[in-house]
Amino acid sequence: MRITLRQIEIFAAIARTENVSRAAEQLSMSQSAASSALVELERQFDCPLFDRIGKSLHLNGTGRALLPQAKNMLARAADIEGFLSGSTLGPLAVGATLTIGNYLATLVVAEYLQRHPAAKIGLQVANTHSIVERLLGYQLDLGLIEGEANHPDLVLEPWIDDALVVFCAPHHPLAAAGAAETSRLAEEKWIVRERGSGTRELFDRAIARPLAHAHIQLELEHTEAIKRAVESGIGIGCLSRLSLREAFRRGSLVEIKTPQFDLRRHFYFARHRQRNINPAMQTFLDLCREFSGAANDTDTLNLPFIQ
């Protein structure tokens, strides 16, 4: 490049003070060095940036247009220096599967920004398959996933236990039964998550397979849509207990006990094996663990939106 950050820094200082001597003093350099740097910058592009009036310099039109860009560049450079020195957290890209993203990750991100307001963090919410693909493609630094991801390039660390729950509307015949035999569930219409999600993967393995033939009435990508559909009475569903806690508390949905199925699972932290844990990642991971506290599973997790 034909331009240096030092030249930009000197230009901004002279623009601020309108005096080479004062700018040089602020930058702890000689007046001649500051003056030479400005002249060289203008000469390189054959573009004067100041009008010289006596010993004072006043920004001309080009200089006024350049100044905000220069300030932005210097601010970005300061961010990079802080990041490299460890005094500020670098940008962080987090991906979360839908259950975790909707009910946990957003709370953790909000707390992260409260504690580190200068930090830059992005949260992408998608199903397990999509989050894994983005981790493998280096599009994400960290993933919070609810499904198994057996890929050699991924490192998984268990976070907290979770479980799926079969549920129905309060007016559904199974609501009063409390529990349901496998043969009875085989007769029901199911409203479930889409293929590629961790929830669907466990449903297929733990429920659909023993049923031999599960009548899938609807496949939906969002848990709230599934809950609304089940509330309407067109079928029964199977989702994370975490996503159903408030509905169970209100009584808008009812759990169907299915002790014959093993619906337990883990939430995991996931990252690419070649990606080192940087300070921002470590800070976010520590906050996730702090958020879950002493809870062993999502059923005992203290959530602010559930009284």
Side-chain angles (χ1 to χ4, degrees):
M1 294 181 64
R2 298 167 59 193
I3 196 170
T4 68
L5 276 174
R6 188 59 168 172
Q7 286 176 313
I8 293 297
E9 184 180 33
I10 292 169
F11 159 74
I14 295 173
R16 183 173 59 251
T17 62
E18 297 187 335
N19 184 279
V20 174
S21 297
R22 288 197 296 270
E25 183 178 352
Q26 291 180 4
L27 297 174
S28 301
M29 61 190 303
S30 69
Q31 177 181 341
S32 61
S35 179
S36 297
L38 175 60
V39 170
E40 177 63 18
L41 176 62
E42 293 177 315
R43 185 195 63 77
Q44 279 179 296
F45 299 94
D46 191 22
C47 183
L49 301 171
F50 293 89
D51 293 324
R52 272 78 171 173
I53 304 174
K55 293 185 177 181
S56 296
L57 290 86
H58 300 276
L59 284 171
N60 61 21
T62 303
R64 284 194 297 273
L66 175 62
L67 185 57
Q69 300 180 62
K71 288 180 177 178
N72 181 58
M73 182 182 292
L74 293 171
R76 295 293 301 276
D79 288 344
I80 291 172
E81 284 188 343
F83 165 59
L84 292 175
S85 67
S87 60
T88 60
L89 296 175
L92 184 64
V94 177
T97 49
L98 272 77
T99 300
I100 300 175
N102 290 333
Y103 300 97
L104 292 180
T106 49
L107 300 175
V108 177
V109 167
E111 183 63 24
Y112 182 90
L113 290 173
Q114 286 283 342
R115 298 188 187 186
H116 310 282
K120 301 292 190 297
I121 184 170
L123 175 63
Q124 300 179 30
V125 179
N127 65 29
T128 299
H129 176 77
S130 295
I131 296 300
V132 166
E133 289 298 308
R134 295 174 199 180
L135 285 168
L136 294 173
Y138 294 96
Q139 299 170 34
L140 295 172
D141 300 305
L142 186 66
L144 309 178
I145 65 174
E146 61 205 53
E148 300 288 344
N150 299 315
H151 195 285
D153 289 336
L154 287 185
V155 176
L156 299 184
E157 179 185 351
W159 177 16
I160 191 169
D161 291 341
D162 184 48
L164 299 187
V165 178
V166 178
F167 62 98
C168 63
H171 56 272
H172 192 282
L174 287 176
E181 298 293 333
T182 302
S183 58
R184 178 69 174 82
L185 293 173
E187 301 172 359
E188 293 297 322
K189 296 176 181 178
W190 291 85
I191 303 165
V192 295
R193 285 285 305 279
E194 81 289 359
R195 295 188 184 278
S197 71
T199 298
R200 179 58 182 274
E201 179 185 358
L202 180 53
F203 171 83
D204 286 344
R205 183 173 69 248
I207 295 180
R209 191 175 299 165
L211 293 185
H213 175 70
H215 182 174
I216 306 299
Q217 178 80 348
L218 278 175
E219 294 183 348
L220 299 172
E221 291 186 1
H222 298 287
T223 56
E224 293 302 312
I226 292 174
K227 288 155 65 176
R228 299 292 86 79
V230 172
E231 284 175 357
S232 73
I234 63 174
I236 64 175
C238 182
L239 290 173
S240 166
R241 183 179 294 278
L242 174 64
S243 67
L244 294 163
R245 282 175 56 179
E246 176 62 11
F248 286 167
R249 187 189 69 82
R250 293 196 317 265
S252 59
L253 292 170
V254 177
E255 179 179 357
I256 303 171
K257 300 293 185 181
T258 55
Q260 67 270 41
F261 302 134
D262 183 2
L263 299 178
R264 296 171 297 173
R265 65 179 182 178
H266 298 290
F267 288 166
Y268 293 95
F269 302 123
R271 62 179 173 86
H272 197 289
R273 190 173 300 277
Q274 300 302 319
R275 178 153 292 188
N276 295 325
I277 298 179
N278 59 38
M281 292 170 65
Q282 188 63 59
T283 299
F284 189 84
L285 288 169
D286 291 343
L287 190 56
C288 287
R289 296 187 183 98
E290 179 184 330
F291 186 84
S292 55
N296 294 319
D297 54 46
T298 56
D299 202 33
T300 57
L301 193 62
N302 182 28
L303 295 175
F305 52 85
I306 299 181
Q307 301 301 320

